[in-house]
PDB file of all heavy atoms in Angstrom:
ATOM      1  N   LEU E 113     103.416  58.821 109.321  1.00 97.00           N
ATOM      2  CA  LEU E 113     102.348  57.857 109.616  1.00 97.00           C
ATOM      3  C   LEU E 113     102.785  56.770 110.580  1.00 97.00           C
ATOM      4  O   LEU E 113     101.975  56.238 111.336  1.00 97.00           O
ATOM      5  CB  LEU E 113     101.774  57.258 108.319  1.00 97.00           C
ATOM      6  CG  LEU E 113     100.879  58.214 107.524  1.00 97.00           C
ATOM      7  CD1 LEU E 113     100.112  57.441 106.463  1.00 97.00           C
ATOM      8  CD2 LEU E 113      99.911  58.963 108.427  1.00 97.00           C
ATOM      9  N   TYR E 116     102.230  58.343 113.722  1.00 96.00           N
ATOM     10  CA  TYR E 116     100.784  58.401 113.994  1.00 96.00           C
ATOM     11  C   TYR E 116     100.284  57.045 114.470  1.00 96.00           C
ATOM     12  O   TYR E 116      99.457  56.960 115.386  1.00 96.00           O
ATOM     13  CB  TYR E 116     100.026  58.870 112.745  1.00 96.00           C
ATOM     14  CG  TYR E 116      98.626  59.390 113.027  1.00 96.00           C
ATOM     15  CD1 TYR E 116      98.413  60.718 113.398  1.00 96.00           C
ATOM     16  CD2 TYR E 116      97.526  58.540 112.926  1.00 96.00           C
ATOM     17  CE1 TYR E 116      97.127  61.189 113.657  1.00 96.00           C
ATOM     18  CE2 TYR E 116      96.249  58.997 113.193  1.00 96.00           C
ATOM     19  CZ  TYR E 116      96.052  60.318 113.552  1.00 96.00           C
ATOM     20  OH  TYR E 116      94.777  60.770 113.818  1.00 96.00           O
ATOM     21  N   PHE E 135     100.995  66.065 108.956  1.00 97.00           N
ATOM     22  CA  PHE E 135     100.666  65.231 107.799  1.00 97.00           C
ATOM     23  C   PHE E 135      99.883  66.046 106.766  1.00 97.00           C
ATOM     24  O   PHE E 135     100.236  66.093 105.576  1.00 97.00           O
ATOM     25  CB  PHE E 135      99.844  64.030 108.268  1.00 97.00           C
ATOM     26  CG  PHE E 135      99.475  63.067 107.181  1.00 97.00           C
ATOM     27  CD1 PHE E 135     100.436  62.270 106.568  1.00 97.00           C
ATOM     28  CD2 PHE E 135      98.150  62.930 106.777  1.00 97.00           C
ATOM     29  CE1 PHE E 135     100.090  61.359 105.570  1.00 97.00           C
ATOM     30  CE2 PHE E 135      97.800  62.027 105.772  1.00 97.00           C
ATOM     31  CZ  PHE E 135      98.778  61.250 105.172  1.00 97.00           C
ATOM     32  N   LYS E 168      87.207  62.213 115.376  1.00 91.00           N
ATOM     33  CA  LYS E 168      86.881  60.839 114.987  1.00 91.00           C
ATOM     34  C   LYS E 168      87.885  59.924 115.666  1.00 91.00           C
ATOM     35  O   LYS E 168      88.943  60.378 116.097  1.00 91.00           O
ATOM     36  CB  LYS E 168      86.880  60.664 113.466  1.00 91.00           C
ATOM     37  CG  LYS E 168      88.228  60.639 112.806  1.00 91.00           C
ATOM     38  CD  LYS E 168      88.155  60.286 111.312  1.00 91.00           C
ATOM     39  CE  LYS E 168      87.407  61.308 110.486  1.00 91.00           C
ATOM     40  NZ  LYS E 168      87.617  61.096 109.037  1.00 91.00           N
ATOM     41  N   PRO E 169      87.576  58.625 115.781  1.00 93.00           N
ATOM     42  CA  PRO E 169      88.527  57.715 116.412  1.00 93.00           C
ATOM     43  C   PRO E 169      89.862  57.738 115.672  1.00 93.00           C
ATOM     44  O   PRO E 169      89.871  57.702 114.437  1.00 93.00           O
ATOM     45  CB  PRO E 169      87.854  56.341 116.269  1.00 93.00           C
ATOM     46  CG  PRO E 169      86.411  56.640 116.044  1.00 93.00           C
ATOM     47  CD  PRO E 169      86.349  57.945 115.334  1.00 93.00           C
ATOM     48  N   PRO E 170      90.965  57.787 116.396  1.00 93.00           N
ATOM     49  CA  PRO E 170      92.269  57.867 115.732  1.00 93.00           C
ATOM     50  C   PRO E 170      92.559  56.672 114.831  1.00 93.00           C
ATOM     51  O   PRO E 170      93.279  56.816 113.845  1.00 93.00           O
ATOM     52  CB  PRO E 170      93.260  57.955 116.895  1.00 93.00           C
ATOM     53  CG  PRO E 170      92.531  57.502 118.095  1.00 93.00           C
ATOM     54  CD  PRO E 170      91.095  57.802 117.866  1.00 93.00           C
ATOM     55  N   GLU E 171      91.997  55.509 115.159  1.00 94.00           N
ATOM     56  CA  GLU E 171      92.203  54.332 114.301  1.00 94.00           C
ATOM     57  C   GLU E 171      91.622  54.577 112.912  1.00 94.00           C
ATOM     58  O   GLU E 171      92.191  54.178 111.904  1.00 94.00           O
ATOM     59  CB  GLU E 171      91.549  53.080 114.887  1.00 94.00           C
ATOM     60  CG  GLU E 171      92.018  52.688 116.274  1.00 94.00           C
ATOM     61  CD  GLU E 171      91.286  53.439 117.381  1.00 94.00           C
ATOM     62  OE1 GLU E 171      90.174  53.950 117.106  1.00 94.00           O
ATOM     63  OE2 GLU E 171      91.832  53.536 118.491  1.00 94.00           O
ATOM     64  N   LYS E 172      90.478  55.268 112.897  1.00 95.00           N
ATOM     65  CA  LYS E 172      89.833  55.571 111.617  1.00 95.00           C
ATOM     66  C   LYS E 172      90.675  56.568 110.813  1.00 95.00           C
ATOM     67  O   LYS E 172      90.924  56.380 109.632  1.00 95.00           O
ATOM     68  CB  LYS E 172      88.425  56.112 111.856  1.00 95.00           C
ATOM     69  CG  LYS E 172      87.608  56.225 110.600  1.00 95.00           C
ATOM     70  CD  LYS E 172      86.108  56.291 110.889  1.00 95.00           C
ATOM     71  CE  LYS E 172      85.282  56.039 109.637  1.00 95.00           C
ATOM     72  NZ  LYS E 172      85.261  57.173 108.712  1.00 95.00           N
ATOM     73  N   SER E 173      91.098  57.636 111.500  1.00 95.00           N
ATOM     74  CA  SER E 173      91.986  58.607 110.844  1.00 95.00           C
ATOM     75  C   SER E 173      93.241  57.932 110.323  1.00 95.00           C
ATOM     76  O   SER E 173      93.679  58.168 109.196  1.00 95.00           O
ATOM     77  CB  SER E 173      92.400  59.701 111.823  1.00 95.00           C
ATOM     78  OG  SER E 173      91.367  60.630 111.975  1.00 95.00           O
ATOM     79  N   ASP E 174      93.806  57.092 111.161  1.00 96.00           N
ATOM     80  CA  ASP E 174      95.031  56.377 110.797  1.00 96.00           C
ATOM     81  C   ASP E 174      94.818  55.599 109.491  1.00 96.00           C
ATOM     82  O   ASP E 174      95.598  55.705 108.544  1.00 96.00           O
ATOM     83  CB  ASP E 174      95.416  55.420 111.935  1.00 96.00           C
ATOM     84  CG  ASP E 174      96.869  55.003 111.882  1.00 96.00           C
ATOM     85  OD1 ASP E 174      97.678  55.740 111.275  1.00 96.00           O
ATOM     86  OD2 ASP E 174      97.198  53.935 112.421  1.00 96.00           O
ATOM     87  N   SER E 175      93.735  54.850 109.474  1.00 96.00           N
ATOM     88  CA  SER E 175      93.411  54.054 108.304  1.00 96.00           C
ATOM     89  C   SER E 175      93.248  54.927 107.064  1.00 96.00           C
ATOM     90  O   SER E 175      93.778  54.634 105.981  1.00 96.00           O
ATOM     91  CB  SER E 175      92.128  53.275 108.580  1.00 96.00           C
ATOM     92  OG  SER E 175      91.648  52.701 107.412  1.00 96.00           O
ATOM     93  N   GLU E 176      92.531  56.038 107.226  1.00 97.00           N
ATOM     94  CA  GLU E 176      92.300  56.941 106.094  1.00 97.00           C
ATOM     95  C   GLU E 176      93.601  57.591 105.629  1.00 97.00           C
ATOM     96  O   GLU E 176      93.832  57.766 104.431  1.00 97.00           O
ATOM     97  CB  GLU E 176      91.255  57.996 106.465  1.00 97.00           C
ATOM     98  CG  GLU E 176      89.851  57.408 106.500  1.00 97.00           C
ATOM     99  CD  GLU E 176      88.829  58.279 107.237  1.00 97.00           C
ATOM    100  OE1 GLU E 176      89.202  59.353 107.752  1.00 97.00           O
ATOM    101  OE2 GLU E 176      87.657  57.864 107.312  1.00 97.00           O
ATOM    102  N   HIS E 177      94.434  57.956 106.598  1.00 97.00           N
ATOM    103  CA  HIS E 177      95.730  58.525 106.235  1.00 97.00           C
ATOM    104  C   HIS E 177      96.535  57.550 105.384  1.00 97.00           C
ATOM    105  O   HIS E 177      97.192  57.933 104.408  1.00 97.00           O
ATOM    106  CB  HIS E 177      96.536  58.885 107.499  1.00 97.00           C
ATOM    107  CG  HIS E 177      96.024  60.102 108.214  1.00 97.00           C
ATOM    108  ND1 HIS E 177      96.362  60.375 109.530  1.00 97.00           N
ATOM    109  CD2 HIS E 177      95.232  61.120 107.818  1.00 97.00           C
ATOM    110  CE1 HIS E 177      95.778  61.514 109.885  1.00 97.00           C
ATOM    111  NE2 HIS E 177      95.083  61.970 108.882  1.00 97.00           N
ATOM    112  N   HIS E 178      96.487  56.284 105.767  1.00 97.00           N
ATOM    113  CA  HIS E 178      97.230  55.278 105.004  1.00 97.00           C
ATOM    114  C   HIS E 178      96.670  55.121 103.594  1.00 97.00           C
ATOM    115  O   HIS E 178      97.405  55.000 102.619  1.00 97.00           O
ATOM    116  CB  HIS E 178      97.237  53.931 105.740  1.00 97.00           C
ATOM    117  CG  HIS E 178      98.262  53.863 106.833  1.00 97.00           C
ATOM    118  ND1 HIS E 178      99.609  53.694 106.585  1.00 97.00           N
ATOM    119  CD2 HIS E 178      98.152  53.949 108.183  1.00 97.00           C
ATOM    120  CE1 HIS E 178     100.284  53.667 107.733  1.00 97.00           C
ATOM    121  NE2 HIS E 178      99.408  53.842 108.722  1.00 97.00           N
ATOM    122  N   GLN E 179      95.354  55.085 103.509  1.00 97.00           N
ATOM    123  CA  GLN E 179      94.727  55.001 102.176  1.00 97.00           C
ATOM    124  C   GLN E 179      95.137  56.194 101.306  1.00 97.00           C
ATOM    125  O   GLN E 179      95.411  56.056 100.112  1.00 97.00           O
ATOM    126  CB  GLN E 179      93.207  55.011 102.296  1.00 97.00           C
ATOM    127  CG  GLN E 179      92.598  53.732 102.798  1.00 97.00           C
ATOM    128  CD  GLN E 179      91.109  53.911 103.058  1.00 97.00           C
ATOM    129  OE1 GLN E 179      90.362  54.347 102.195  1.00 97.00           O
ATOM    130  NE2 GLN E 179      90.674  53.587 104.267  1.00 97.00           N
ATOM    131  N   LEU E 180      95.156  57.347 101.935  1.00 98.00           N
ATOM    132  CA  LEU E 180      95.522  58.575 101.219  1.00 98.00           C
ATOM    133  C   LEU E 180      96.962  58.486 100.722  1.00 98.00           C
ATOM    134  O   LEU E 180      97.265  58.794  99.573  1.00 98.00           O
ATOM    135  CB  LEU E 180      95.342  59.777 102.142  1.00 98.00           C
ATOM    136  CG  LEU E 180      95.585  61.144 101.582  1.00 98.00           C
ATOM    137  CD1 LEU E 180      94.780  61.401 100.299  1.00 98.00           C
ATOM    138  CD2 LEU E 180      95.199  62.212 102.607  1.00 98.00           C
ATOM    139  N   LEU E 181      97.831  58.014 101.600  1.00 97.00           N
ATOM    140  CA  LEU E 181      99.235  57.894 101.215  1.00 97.00           C
ATOM    141  C   LEU E 181      99.391  56.900 100.062  1.00 97.00           C
ATOM    142  O   LEU E 181     100.165  57.128  99.125  1.00 97.00           O
ATOM    143  CB  LEU E 181     100.081  57.461 102.422  1.00 97.00           C
ATOM    144  CG  LEU E 181     101.566  57.278 102.162  1.00 97.00           C
ATOM    145  CD1 LEU E 181     102.185  58.545 101.563  1.00 97.00           C
ATOM    146  CD2 LEU E 181     102.289  56.905 103.438  1.00 97.00           C
ATOM    147  N   ASP E 182      98.631  55.826 100.100  1.00 97.00           N
ATOM    148  CA  ASP E 182      98.679  54.860  98.996  1.00 97.00           C
ATOM    149  C   ASP E 182      98.284  55.520  97.669  1.00 97.00           C
ATOM    150  O   ASP E 182      98.932  55.322  96.641  1.00 97.00           O
ATOM    151  CB  ASP E 182      97.764  53.668  99.277  1.00 97.00           C
ATOM    152  CG  ASP E 182      98.346  52.734 100.329  1.00 97.00           C
ATOM    153  OD1 ASP E 182      99.570  52.817 100.578  1.00 97.00           O
ATOM    154  OD2 ASP E 182      97.580  51.925 100.894  1.00 97.00           O
ATOM    155  N   ALA E 183      97.217  56.308  97.716  1.00 97.00           N
ATOM    156  CA  ALA E 183      96.774  56.998  96.500  1.00 97.00           C
ATOM    157  C   ALA E 183      97.861  57.959  95.996  1.00 97.00           C
ATOM    158  O   ALA E 183      98.104  58.069  94.795  1.00 97.00           O
ATOM    159  CB  ALA E 183      95.477  57.743  96.753  1.00 97.00           C
ATOM    160  N   ILE E 195      89.427  60.426  98.670  1.00 98.00           N
ATOM    161  CA  ILE E 195      89.712  60.015 100.051  1.00 98.00           C
ATOM    162  C   ILE E 195      89.805  61.232 100.970  1.00 98.00           C
ATOM    163  O   ILE E 195      89.270  61.243 102.081  1.00 98.00           O
ATOM    164  CB  ILE E 195      91.013  59.182 100.131  1.00 98.00           C
ATOM    165  CG1 ILE E 195      90.825  57.850  99.407  1.00 98.00           C
ATOM    166  CG2 ILE E 195      91.405  58.933 101.587  1.00 98.00           C
ATOM    167  CD1 ILE E 195      92.121  57.107  99.101  1.00 98.00           C
ATOM    168  N   MET E 196      90.495  62.254 100.498  1.00 98.00           N
ATOM    169  CA  MET E 196      90.636  63.457 101.326  1.00 98.00           C
ATOM    170  C   MET E 196      89.269  64.105 101.572  1.00 98.00           C
ATOM    171  O   MET E 196      88.973  64.550 102.686  1.00 98.00           O
ATOM    172  CB  MET E 196      91.589  64.452 100.665  1.00 98.00           C
ATOM    173  CG  MET E 196      91.846  65.708 101.480  1.00 98.00           C
ATOM    174  SD  MET E 196      92.698  65.374 103.045  1.00 98.00           S
ATOM    175  CE  MET E 196      94.393  65.755 102.574  1.00 98.00           C
ATOM    176  N   GLU E 198      86.336  62.584 101.689  1.00 97.00           N
ATOM    177  CA  GLU E 198      85.615  61.805 102.693  1.00 97.00           C
ATOM    178  C   GLU E 198      86.188  62.040 104.096  1.00 97.00           C
ATOM    179  O   GLU E 198      85.451  62.155 105.082  1.00 97.00           O
ATOM    180  CB  GLU E 198      85.723  60.309 102.381  1.00 97.00           C
ATOM    181  CG  GLU E 198      85.296  59.915 100.980  1.00 97.00           C
ATOM    182  CD  GLU E 198      83.789  59.690 100.863  1.00 97.00           C
ATOM    183  OE1 GLU E 198      83.110  59.868 101.910  1.00 97.00           O
ATOM    184  OE2 GLU E 198      83.309  59.361  99.775  1.00 97.00           O
ATOM    185  N   HIS E 199      87.497  62.051 104.146  1.00 97.00           N
ATOM    186  CA  HIS E 199      88.210  62.231 105.423  1.00 97.00           C
ATOM    187  C   HIS E 199      87.778  63.520 106.131  1.00 97.00           C
ATOM    188  O   HIS E 199      87.492  63.533 107.325  1.00 97.00           O
ATOM    189  CB  HIS E 199      89.712  62.247 105.122  1.00 97.00           C
ATOM    190  CG  HIS E 199      90.618  62.405 106.304  1.00 97.00           C
ATOM    191  ND1 HIS E 199      90.577  61.557 107.393  1.00 97.00           N
ATOM    192  CD2 HIS E 199      91.599  63.307 106.546  1.00 97.00           C
ATOM    193  CE1 HIS E 199      91.523  61.940 108.257  1.00 97.00           C
ATOM    194  NE2 HIS E 199      92.136  62.998 107.775  1.00 97.00           N
ATOM    195  N   ILE E 200      87.730  64.617 105.374  1.00 97.00           N
ATOM    196  CA  ILE E 200      87.366  65.900 105.971  1.00 97.00           C
ATOM    197  C   ILE E 200      85.864  65.999 106.192  1.00 97.00           C
ATOM    198  O   ILE E 200      85.395  66.529 107.200  1.00 97.00           O
ATOM    199  CB  ILE E 200      87.823  67.069 105.064  1.00 97.00           C
ATOM    200  CG1 ILE E 200      89.286  66.936 104.676  1.00 97.00           C
ATOM    201  CG2 ILE E 200      87.565  68.402 105.755  1.00 97.00           C
ATOM    202  CD1 ILE E 200      90.274  67.242 105.738  1.00 97.00           C
ATOM    203  N   ASP E 202      83.718  63.601 106.898  1.00 93.00           N
ATOM    204  CA  ASP E 202      83.470  62.846 108.129  1.00 93.00           C
ATOM    205  C   ASP E 202      83.647  63.715 109.361  1.00 93.00           C
ATOM    206  O   ASP E 202      82.817  63.754 110.258  1.00 93.00           O
ATOM    207  CB  ASP E 202      84.533  61.757 108.236  1.00 93.00           C
ATOM    208  CG  ASP E 202      84.027  60.419 107.845  1.00 93.00           C
ATOM    209  OD1 ASP E 202      82.846  60.324 107.460  1.00 93.00           O
ATOM    210  OD2 ASP E 202      84.826  59.462 107.914  1.00 93.00           O
ATOM    211  N   SER E 203      84.793  64.383 109.408  1.00 95.00           N
ATOM    212  CA  SER E 203      85.122  65.201 110.575  1.00 95.00           C
ATOM    213  C   SER E 203      84.134  66.347 110.711  1.00 95.00           C
ATOM    214  O   SER E 203      83.689  66.668 111.807  1.00 95.00           O
ATOM    215  CB  SER E 203      86.546  65.746 110.476  1.00 95.00           C
ATOM    216  OG  SER E 203      87.462  64.684 110.482  1.00 95.00           O
TER     217      SER E 203
END
Side-chain angles (χ1 to χ4, degrees):
Chain E
L113 286 193
Y116 199 86
F135 182 70
K168 74 173 64 167
E171 302 84 21
K172 190 160 195 285
S173 282
D174 200 23
S175 169
E176 286 163 359
H177 287 162
H178 279 284
Q179 286 172 54
L180 184 53
L181 179 55
D182 286 342
I195 294 165
M196 183 65 98
E198 306 275 1
H199 181 56
I200 309 286
D202 258 1
S203 297

